[in-house]
Amino acid sequence: MDLEHKVRKLFSEFVQLHFKKPVEADFRDLRSALLFSMFLEWFGLDNPLGIYLLDLYPELLSEFHLWHRTLGIEHSKLDFLPCC
């Protein structure tokens, strides 16, 4: 039983090292791209995906604050968003 526990722990560490961290990095990149595409028109750019993203705005509006903080922007310049 002890050997099985050690093998499971070793396998878990291997999976975390080789798979979990790259997947988390890809998730952060995809999340940033999604949020940027959602707020393109508020940045003054045309958004070709705007009609498809209308349902996501209420859910991801709360994540806008975390997103602009990860970009290094302390306070959002967008006054109409309930953020900072």
Side-chain angles (χ1 to χ4, degrees):
M1 186 74 172
D2 189 37
L3 179 62
E4 181 182 349
H5 180 68
K6 288 180 182 179
V7 169
R8 285 180 184 263
K9 185 177 178 185
L10 180 66
F11 183 70
S12 173
E13 290 174 1
F14 175 79
V15 167
Q16 183 172 2
L17 180 65
H18 292 288
F19 297 108
K20 186 177 180 182
K21 290 183 181 185
V23 168
E24 287 175 348
D26 288 343
F27 174 74
R28 282 192 305 271
D29 292 344
L30 285 173
R31 183 175 150 254
S32 293
L34 175 65
L35 286 171
F36 180 70
S37 68
M38 287 180 64
F39 296 105
L40 273 176
E41 41 199 48
W42 285 341
F43 291 127
L45 303 170
D46 290 334
N47 186 1
L49 301 174
I51 193 72
Y52 302 111
L53 297 172
L54 286 176
D55 293 336
L56 297 176
Y57 281 113
E59 294 179 20
L60 293 177
L61 193 58
S62 62
E63 294 211 14
F64 180 73
H65 178 69
L66 298 174
W67 177 64
H68 77 74
R69 293 294 302 260
T70 59
L71 293 177
I73 303 170
E74 285 295 319
H75 299 287
S76 174
K77 306 293 186 222
L78 305 175
D79 296 333
F80 53 86
L81 290 177
C83 182
C84 298

